[in-house]
Amino acid sequence: MTAAALPERLDGLPVEPREFIQLVSVDFAGTYNVYLAAKDERLKMTRLSMSLLAAPFAATIALVSTKVIDPAALASWATVPWYLFAVTAAFGLLSVLPFLRLIEAVNAHMRTARALNNFRLLYVVQLKDHFSALGWTPNLPVDPRYPETYAPLAWPGINVMMLALVNGSYIAVGVLGLIGAAPNAALLAVVVGLLALVHYFVYYVRANVSRQRRLPQNPFHFPNVET
């Protein structure tokens, strides 16, 4: 079915033509704005996290440039000044904030998309026969339980898990350096893995669809379709 085959008039629909066009335009505009906002939020939080994680490198370059630190001291774990380890750990902890914000932003955008799906379901049910006669479909999901907030293999989930791994590495290196632990590769890998798992557990609890959330008041007792 091509655009030329569509009828020139929409007078046969159960709503006025201008109302039908308004429904479709609001739907598409809403969906576009939600995904645009989600992309913008992810980019902002990723940039903020990368800026925080780059701070220890910038501090080290500044200290070496001003000859506060001898560059040769950076060649060995044992000779690295303690305050560089402290800076690394501190900015690793600070980077947890954009990590959490990224999770909450993804949840908010996914729930908004679900609300749009529920709205679309309202008019698609009423107009499905007319859509079939036109040979046209909105080609958008109508399941109010889609998309899932917990999707570890989607781009937002991969972004979150990579930040978890990097944050865990910064915190592990900083803490092990502060306490004077030997730079054992196995120990470092275990600590980084445990910290990354803590991050991932936070993501799982905050985004998993099975977690218990307090629902808003529903005085009209409408069925809640959101998980």
Side-chain angles (χ1 to χ4, degrees):
M1 175 64 67
T2 62
L6 294 176
E8 297 180 358
R9 299 178 60 84
L10 301 174
D11 296 335
L13 294 177
V15 294
E16 294 293 330
R18 64 177 183 274
E19 295 174 354
F20 171 74
I21 296 300
Q22 183 179 6
L23 281 174
V24 177
S25 62
V26 168
D27 189 1
F28 276 84
T31 303
Y32 175 77
N33 289 332
V34 166
Y35 285 103
L36 193 65
K39 178 182 177 181
D40 184 62
E41 189 78 21
R42 287 197 298 269
L43 287 176
K44 286 181 179 178
M45 290 302 103
T46 303
R47 287 170 181 167
L48 176 58
S49 183
M50 293 299 101
S51 298
L52 292 174
L53 295 173
F57 294 97
T60 302
I61 292 172
L63 291 172
V64 171
S65 300
T66 55
K67 299 183 179 180
V68 175
I69 298 177
D70 184 3
L74 303 178
S76 173
W77 177 283
T79 57
V80 174
W82 67 269
Y83 46 84
L84 286 184
F85 287 117
V87 168
T88 302
F91 278 95
L93 290 171
L94 282 176
S95 189
V96 174
L97 296 178
F99 170 82
L100 295 176
R101 176 56 193 157
L102 182 61
I103 295 173
E104 295 303 321
V106 170
N107 288 349
H109 295 134
M110 294 302 100
R111 292 194 177 96
T112 304
R114 290 180 180 186
L116 286 172
N117 293 349
N118 201 22
F119 164 75
R120 187 179 307 118
L121 182 63
L122 172 66
Y123 76 80
V124 167
V125 168
Q126 298 297 324
L127 300 174
K128 59 183 174 67
D129 294 335
H130 299 278
F131 287 160
S132 299
L134 294 174
W136 179 82
T137 174
N139 198 28
L140 290 169
V142 294
D143 186 356
R145 296 169 298 180
Y146 174 86
E148 296 289 352
T149 55
Y150 175 68
L153 296 182
W155 162 237
I158 293 174
N159 195 3
V160 166
M161 290 192 292
M162 290 301 101
L163 285 180
L165 184 61
V166 176
N167 290 353
S169 301
Y170 271 61
I171 297 171
V173 169
V175 172
L176 290 177
L178 283 174
I179 66 177
N184 185 283
L187 175 63
L188 189 61
V190 170
V191 176
V192 170
L194 290 175
L195 289 171
L197 283 177
V198 171
H199 282 72
Y200 181 78
F201 179 73
V202 173
Y203 168 56
Y204 178 82
V205 171
R206 294 301 301 165
N208 188 26
V209 295
S210 64
R211 72 185 181 90
Q212 297 296 319
R213 295 186 296 111
R214 187 177 69 85
L215 296 175
Q217 293 185 0
N218 185 4
F220 299 103
H221 303 289
F222 290 128
N224 181 43
V225 295
E226 182 184 2
T227 56

